[in-house]
Amino acid sequence: MTSPPYFAVLTGGGGGIGAAIAQAIAPQCAVLLLVGRDAARLAATARAVERPGLACHVVLADLATAAGRDAVAQAASGFDINLLINNAGTSEFAWFADQSEASVERILEVNALAPMLLTQRLLPQLQRRRSATIVNVGSIFGYLGYPGCASYSASKFALRGFTEALRRELADGPVRVLYFAPRATRTALNDDALTALNAELGTAMDAPAKVAGELVALLRRPVRERLLGCPRSSSPA
């Protein structure tokens, strides 16, 4: 198990869940690199987590580009990181037949390809530590194909498959690979149509702070997969 203090990279650090995760793990961090595309939101998160003993750095980067991943790798190279949380994501609630090719490509790039390639870039740093952890933040839709979320579900299925395969590749080394799957969460990622559908169906929606607390609990007691709102969790990591 990777123990605090964490030297952490958190992607999507300016979003609803990302900001909540940053605040939840900050007390256990010596270094926290907040990665995202919105400078104002990242700055707000950095101010919210500011405390003595924490070196918090903002990295403005589009992880769907090689230049963005280079920026994160360069920023992380000055620290012996032991925690990578791949949280950045995007979505669009739409029938697949009506989605543009550009939207489908963007969802798959941001949610699946970008965390895969960023992990590949940072893996040598993580492997230098005696113990390190990668947490891939997926979704319950990585297990359940949901109408109106075909591209999003496909991206989260892909991220879960990547997590499982990489975990097996790294089983004999110091790096644990975990999959964390929130259910519906009250963030700006859900548009009004999806929020209304969840309400009509009686689908529970968690607050970002609750999701962040569950992720911290996962770090304390790692299991290979953690599904919020579902009693099933896999065996210990």
Side-chain angles (χ1 to χ4, degrees):
M1 182 176 70
T2 307
S3 300
Y6 298 125
F7 294 74
V9 173
L10 169 63
T11 71
I17 292 178
I21 291 173
Q23 293 183 56
I25 67 169
Q28 303 171 59
C29 289
V31 174
L32 178 58
L33 301 184
L34 299 173
V35 182
R37 295 187 300 144
D38 190 314
R41 289 183 177 181
L42 289 173
T45 302
R47 288 193 298 270
V49 303
E50 186 177 0
R51 67 195 65 234
L54 172 64
C56 183
H57 304 271
V58 166
V59 183
L60 197 61
D62 181 352
L63 297 176
T65 68
R69 296 187 294 273
D70 287 344
V72 177
Q74 179 62 35
S77 65
F79 312 99
D80 290 327
I81 63 169
N82 61 2
L83 176 61
L84 168 61
I85 303 176
N86 284 314
N87 167 72
T90 190
S91 182
E92 179 187 49
F93 180 62
W95 297 126
F96 184 68
D98 299 328
Q99 271 189 309
S100 68
E101 287 188 4
S103 178
V104 174
E105 289 175 354
R106 180 69 181 174
I107 289 169
L108 291 171
E109 284 176 351
V110 172
N111 295 356
L113 188 58
M116 290 173 66
L117 293 176
L118 181 64
T119 298
Q120 187 180 54
R121 288 295 308 273
L122 297 180
L123 195 54
Q125 295 185 42
L126 293 161
Q127 289 176 312
R128 288 198 291 266
R129 296 299 295 258
R130 181 172 298 179
S131 176
T133 301
I134 298 167
V135 181
N136 289 327
V137 178
S139 168
I140 201 71
F141 291 169
Y143 299 84
L144 169 68
Y146 198 74
C149 298
S151 299
Y152 181 78
S153 291
S155 71
K156 295 303 185 179
F157 268 85
L159 185 63
R160 181 165 67 90
F162 166 67
T163 304
E164 182 177 328
L166 185 63
R167 180 188 305 126
R168 290 172 174 164
E169 288 186 13
L170 302 179
D172 295 330
V175 182
R176 283 190 171 91
V177 187
L178 313 177
Y179 186 79
F180 178 71
R183 58 184 176 180
T185 308
R186 292 191 293 272
T187 71
L189 194 63
N190 297 316
D191 63 18
D192 292 341
L194 183 56
T195 299
L197 178 61
N198 285 332
E200 184 175 343
L201 296 176
T203 301
M205 295 187 72
D206 293 324
K210 175 179 173 57
V211 175
E214 294 285 355
L215 189 144
V216 170
L218 174 66
L219 292 174
R220 289 175 180 156
R221 298 187 63 182
V223 292
R224 294 170 187 166
E225 298 181 355
R226 177 75 173 93
L227 289 68
L228 299 194
C230 177
R232 172 181 169 263
S233 286
S234 72
S235 56

